[in-house]
Amino acid sequence: MAGKGGKQNRSGAAMSAGKGAGGEDEEDQPLQAVLIADSFNRRFFPVTKDQPRVLLPLGNVAIIDYTLEFLTSTGVQETFVFCSWMATKIRDHLLKSKWCRPTSSNIVHIITSDLYRSLGDVLRDVDAKNLVRSDFVLVYGDVVSNVDISQALQEHRHRRKTEKNVSVMTMIFKESTPGHRSRCEEDDIVVVNDRRSQRILHYQKTQGLKKLQFPMNMFHSTSDEFEIRHDLLDSHISICSPQVAELFTDNFDYQTRDDFVRGILVNEEILGNHIHMNVINDGYGVRVSNLLMYDSVSSDLVRRWFYPLTPEANFTDQKEWSCTYSRHNVYRGTGVSLGHGSQMEENVLIGCNTSIGANCRISHSVIGNNCTIGDNVNLNHAYIWSNVHIDSNVTVSQSVLCDNTVVKENVTLNKQCVLAYNVVIGPNFSLPEGTVVSMHHPEQEEEDDDDDEFLSDDADIGESKGKNKQKVFNPAEVGAEGQGHIWKASNLDDTEDEELSQCLWGLVLNPELESDSEDSEPDGQDDPQIPSPEMDDVKGERVGQDIYLNLFKHEPVIIIRSLCTDLECPLVAVSVKITTCKFSLLKKWSPVFKNYVKRAQDYLECLCAFEEFFLEQENYWAAMAKVLMEMYQLEVLEEEMILRWFSQGTTTDNSRRLRKNQGLQKLIKWLEEAEESSDEGN
């Protein structure tokens, strides 16, 4: 491991004194950043066997350049770039870029080591070398963002100054509805925060979960009001105090940022450290974590969603790059030739010195530099990198073609195909959906795993062994003149193939899968993947049930007040006529109510909670009688308790007006008659 383990059991006071945290002198320090140029996973495998992820082109610009531009624009003056896998390529790229020029306002230091295997190793090395002197920005090298974090930085420094350095991290989130194209389902999260202080009380990823569990000490904290949020996109941008690196050194269980966040929240009372959040409404902040996100971010770039980072801006100051921007978001680099009858419909970016034949149709695509495209080529959501040759009569749909690939004539690339570097396909061939082709043989991965050489796409892959293998290509897989090996085909029923597909393209954005709700069953496999707002409500209802069931064991009143909030949507929808089916939640939860609402005081508190909600929603007063009637018929509330609540003294005019509501009056009269009949019968 890269970290050193010589600092143990340091107190918060010692950490504060060690690195000048939180004083006036700190604000005079230049803002620093730690940029992780390794992904520490195989998400882009096998593409990243030839090129590190941060150097993959996004709109014909390396991804890391977007990250450095974001850091520079936000006021960072010194950036430490940590890299391990293919560090030489990253170093050469940065040394040739504007970031390493003497005139750069952001001084970039490149630090390499073969020992980095995780974020934890990097931060332990930061601590060992004593690199950070004050608050710093922690970010991965595949983050594309134009958000302004200056306000979040000021709030972070203010908290540390007023709260004696207990706040060690501020996580940057952006509001984004579930199912939005910029959200990756495998990164979906639920965050619980103190509404006033924005302190994070709970942080949990929701991928594959049907139920959510919350620690009960969260509800016993000093927080008067907290929020449970599922509408946040994690930008993977964090503002960190110098203590963060020291805490990673003290605990070798911290390998990822998620490990760190969980550890701080679990041991909050012991360590005395807090993590806060800052939610941004404007701006763009996304991590390119898989090819599905690559597709999404590339489309957003062409459609100018993260202005001023636009293709024609040339923010990297490349001398050879220049392009023009025209309507329908069409960008043409210098030296581009377009054949007769060819159409660039919309959202198209074409690099320099690229030749396009006749009668081609191109839409929602990015084409790199020095490419040659033949006649009658149809490109839709195609990402063509540099020096690619495509013959005539080729169709490409939502696929990636890496550098130096060749596609022969009469070839069809169906959705989510990936041609890694130097692959040749065709002629007269069709690749099934989801096929991944690489010049590296699949058996090479198994040997690397056995030797523990390829721990990630950021580790040594044993190139010498690969060179010794004889390259024999199967024409049935890549065509008669093809060159390459199949890594994943959609017609193979293999778990490993499915895992590879998920790594490259990510999980399918379908919130309806594995749903227990009767109203959320998918209509079919071919339905659109992005849910409607109505489906968001259904999903929120299902998640809410699990939340409330866990809360209710300890705080009966919480569930009543929260349930009223959930009922607000159905009440609005049927303000005139409310049917029993709209109260299915009440019926589903009735066993829980019966188990925990037993004492007279519990009944009264529940009824008061209902009253409190309806007092704020005067338009729905008529519905209160129906709610109480439903609870009565489910034998959750007793008539004696309802009458007792109704007859107790009121302190406000609205309470007295509510009790005079015609529907509520009829219910009370009916209950009184029922009670009298019962007494007479006895």
Side-chain angles (χ1 to χ4, degrees):
M1 304 294 286
K4 304 292 189 297
K7 304 177 183 178
Q8 300 294 331
N9 298 327
R10 290 172 290 191
S11 64
M15 288 191 284
S16 302
K19 294 191 178 178
E24 294 182 359
D25 294 337
E26 181 184 357
E27 297 183 1
D28 298 332
Q29 296 282 353
L31 181 60
Q32 298 174 297
V34 172
L35 188 154
I36 313 299
D38 283 323
S39 57
F40 306 118
N41 60 51
R42 301 187 180 190
R43 199 57 55 85
F44 277 77
F45 189 80
V47 174
T48 46
K49 292 186 73 124
D50 298 291
Q51 187 84 326
R53 186 197 297 190
V54 296
L55 294 187
L56 299 182
L58 181 73
N60 298 330
V61 175
I63 298 177
I64 194 173
D65 288 332
Y66 292 96
T67 311
L68 287 169
E69 178 67 18
F70 155 70
L71 293 175
T72 304
S73 64
T74 203
V76 172
Q77 297 173 271
E78 187 177 25
T79 300
F80 299 96
V81 179
F82 289 85
C83 45
S84 175
W85 166 238
M86 291 190 175
T88 302
K89 287 190 175 183
I90 299 175
R91 177 190 292 274
D92 292 344
H93 173 83
L94 293 178
L95 290 177
K96 295 177 183 178
S97 69
K98 74 172 188 178
W99 316 113
C100 289
R101 296 175 187 171
T103 56
S104 175
S105 60
N106 183 5
I107 301 174
V108 175
H109 306 280
I110 307 168
I111 302 175
T112 66
S113 174
D114 294 335
L115 301 178
Y116 299 146
R117 288 293 180 268
S118 67
L119 171 67
D121 292 342
V122 171
L123 290 179
R124 280 184 277 273
D125 201 31
V126 169
D127 182 44
K129 293 177 171 141
N130 204 16
L131 296 178
V132 294
R133 300 178 295 275
S134 60
D135 295 322
F136 65 95
V137 180
L138 177 63
V139 65
Y140 278 92
D142 52 9
V143 169
V144 179
S145 175
N146 65 350
V147 300
D148 182 7
I149 63 170
S150 57
Q151 182 65 29
L153 181 62
Q154 292 179 7
E155 293 175 359
H156 175 82
R157 288 174 170 171
H158 177 72
R159 278 192 295 265
R160 295 189 57 226
K161 188 174 182 180
T162 57
E163 299 176 8
K164 299 181 180 179
N165 304 309
V166 297
S167 179
V168 296
M169 178 182 286
T170 298
M171 302 174 68
I172 308 298
F173 297 99
K174 186 181 183 304
E175 287 189 350
S176 178
T177 57
H180 191 273
R181 60 179 287 115
S182 64
R183 285 183 62 153
C184 182
E185 186 175 348
E186 57 204 52
D187 287 334
D188 276 354
I189 55 174
V190 167
V191 179
V192 183
N193 65 288
D194 185 302
R195 189 169 185 176
R196 295 182 180 178
S197 67
Q198 295 301 305
R199 178 165 63 93
I200 295 179
L201 305 176
H202 183 71
Y203 176 92
Q204 182 178 9
K205 289 191 174 182
T206 61
Q207 177 191 344
L209 296 180
K210 293 184 178 180
K211 295 184 179 180
L212 302 175
Q213 296 181 351
F214 299 93
M216 291 316 304
N217 59 353
M218 179 180 73
F219 306 106
H220 297 157
S221 64
T222 57
S223 303
D224 296 330
E225 190 174 2
F226 57 85
E227 298 175 317
I228 300 177
R229 304 194 61 170
H230 187 51
D231 63 335
L232 298 178
L233 168 67
D234 188 352
S235 67
H236 295 276
I237 302 170
S238 305
I239 302 173
C240 303
S241 305
Q243 293 97 311
V244 169
E246 299 180 354
L247 289 169
F248 269 88
T249 299
D250 289 342
N251 194 328
F252 272 80
D253 291 334
Y254 296 162
Q255 298 299 329
T256 66
R257 192 192 63 166
D258 290 347
D259 293 339
F260 175 79
V261 172
R262 284 193 299 266
I264 293 297
L265 296 180
V266 170
N267 301 308
E268 194 174 51
E269 296 182 0
I270 300 175
L271 299 177
N273 300 127
H274 294 164
I275 297 178
H276 290 78
M277 61 186 286
N278 186 279
V279 180
I280 296 175
N281 297 322
D282 299 323
Y284 193 94
V286 175
R287 186 179 181 191
V288 186
S289 56
N290 52 49
L291 286 182
L292 189 66
M293 295 306 301
Y294 180 89
D295 179 16
S296 175
V297 176
S298 297
S299 298
D300 291 342
L301 168 68
V302 175
R303 293 186 296 174
R304 312 175 72 80
W305 276 108
F306 37 101
Y307 182 88
L309 301 181
T310 56
E312 82 279 10
N314 191 20
F315 64 89
T316 57
D317 292 341
Q318 299 180 34
K319 294 181 180 179
E320 67 277 6
W321 171 249
S322 175
C323 78
T324 59
Y325 168 63
S326 57
R327 64 177 183 173
H328 304 306
N329 297 325
V330 174
Y331 307 82
R332 293 179 61 172
T334 56
V336 172
S337 62
L338 191 66
H340 177 72
S342 293
Q343 298 180 8
M344 295 183 294
E345 297 179 352
E346 60 178 348
N347 302 322
V348 175
L349 169 61
I350 302 178
C352 298
N353 303 316
T354 289
S355 173
I356 300 175
N359 301 315
C360 296
R361 296 188 60 185
I362 305 173
S363 63
H364 306 283
S365 299
V366 177
I367 303 175
N369 302 322
N370 304 310
C371 295
T372 303
I373 299 176
D375 300 334
N376 302 310
V377 174
N378 191 342
L379 304 178
N380 182 29
H381 282 278
Y383 300 97
I384 316 296
W385 296 358
S386 298
N387 302 305
V388 174
H389 179 82
I390 300 178
D391 283 343
S392 301
N393 303 311
V394 171
T395 299
V396 181
S397 301
Q398 195 183 10
S399 297
V400 176
L401 282 67
C402 299
D403 293 350
N404 304 312
T405 57
V406 177
V407 181
K408 301 288 186 177
E409 61 181 357
N410 297 318
V411 169
T412 298
L413 302 183
N414 291 289
K415 289 184 178 180
Q416 298 188 352
C417 287
V418 178
L419 304 186
Y421 294 86
N422 305 309
V423 166
V424 179
I425 298 294
N428 305 313
F429 196 76
S430 177
L431 276 183
E433 179 177 340
T435 302
V436 179
V437 186
S438 172
M439 293 298 292
H440 298 279
H441 199 282
E443 293 180 3
Q444 180 180 341
E445 180 197 16
E446 298 177 2
E447 294 181 0
D448 293 334
D449 287 339
D450 294 338
D451 295 337
D452 199 23
E453 292 182 0
F454 187 43
L455 300 179
S456 68
D457 66 358
D458 313 301
D460 190 1
I461 61 174
E463 295 182 4
S464 59
K465 292 185 179 182
K467 292 179 180 179
N468 295 330
K469 282 189 174 291
Q470 183 179 2
K471 296 182 178 180
V472 178
F473 308 114
N474 185 355
E477 294 180 344
V478 294
E481 302 176 14
Q483 298 179 16
H485 303 284
I486 296 293
W487 280 76
K488 190 269 173 184
S490 59
N491 58 348
L492 296 179
D493 186 12
D494 192 340
T495 303
E496 294 181 358
D497 293 329
E498 180 63 23
E499 290 175 355
L500 178 60
S501 176
Q502 290 183 358
C503 284
L504 277 170
W505 290 96
L507 300 176
V508 177
L509 291 178
N510 190 353
E512 301 168 353
L513 292 179
E514 298 181 355
S515 173
D516 294 332
S517 174
E518 296 177 357
D519 299 326
S520 61
E521 295 180 359
D523 294 332
Q525 295 180 353
D526 297 331
D527 289 347
Q529 303 289 347
I530 300 177
S532 65
E534 292 80 7
M535 292 308 303
D536 290 343
D537 295 337
V538 172
K539 182 180 180 183
E541 176 183 299
R542 179 169 58 86
V543 174
Q545 296 172 15
D546 299 325
I547 294 172
Y548 298 140
L549 289 176
N550 285 312
L551 289 179
F552 199 80
K553 293 189 295 186
H554 300 269
E555 296 292 343
V557 181
I558 293 178
I559 185 166
I560 299 299
R561 293 174 178 170
S562 302
L563 173 62
C564 290
T565 304
D566 271 2
L567 284 175
E568 181 176 355
C569 181
L571 290 174
V572 172
V574 287
S575 57
V576 178
K577 180 179 180 181
I578 303 177
T579 60
T580 305
C581 65
K582 292 300 179 182
F583 301 103
S584 58
L585 292 179
L586 294 175
K587 184 176 181 180
K588 185 174 295 185
W589 295 343
S590 59
V592 181
F593 282 104
K594 295 175 184 178
N595 192 32
Y596 292 104
V597 181
K598 297 179 179 180
R599 302 175 303 168
Q601 184 64 25
D602 296 337
Y603 286 110
L604 293 177
E605 287 181 352
C606 291
L607 287 164
C608 289
F610 278 119
E611 179 182 7
E612 180 181 339
F613 168 78
F614 281 102
L615 285 175
E616 298 174 356
Q617 309 291 338
E618 185 173 352
N619 293 335
Y620 312 141
W621 281 8
M624 184 173 183
K626 297 183 179 291
V627 172
L628 296 182
M629 186 64 180
E630 183 73 13
M631 298 283 278
Y632 174 75
Q633 292 178 342
L634 293 172
E635 299 182 352
V636 174
L637 295 178
E638 299 177 356
E639 57 189 39
E640 180 184 353
M641 291 296 106
I642 298 177
L643 294 174
R644 182 176 172 183
W645 160 79
F646 185 82
S647 61
Q648 67 182 6
T650 57
T651 57
T652 64
D653 293 338
N654 282 342
S655 296
R656 285 187 284 271
R657 289 176 52 217
L658 175 63
R659 282 165 168 73
K660 293 180 180 179
N661 178 267
Q662 185 177 2
L664 194 57
Q665 288 281 349
K666 290 182 178 179
L667 174 64
I668 296 301
K669 183 178 180 181
W670 182 82
L671 290 175
E672 289 175 344
E673 293 176 352
E675 186 178 29
E676 292 176 359
S677 300
S678 178
D679 293 340
E680 292 176 358
N682 293 333

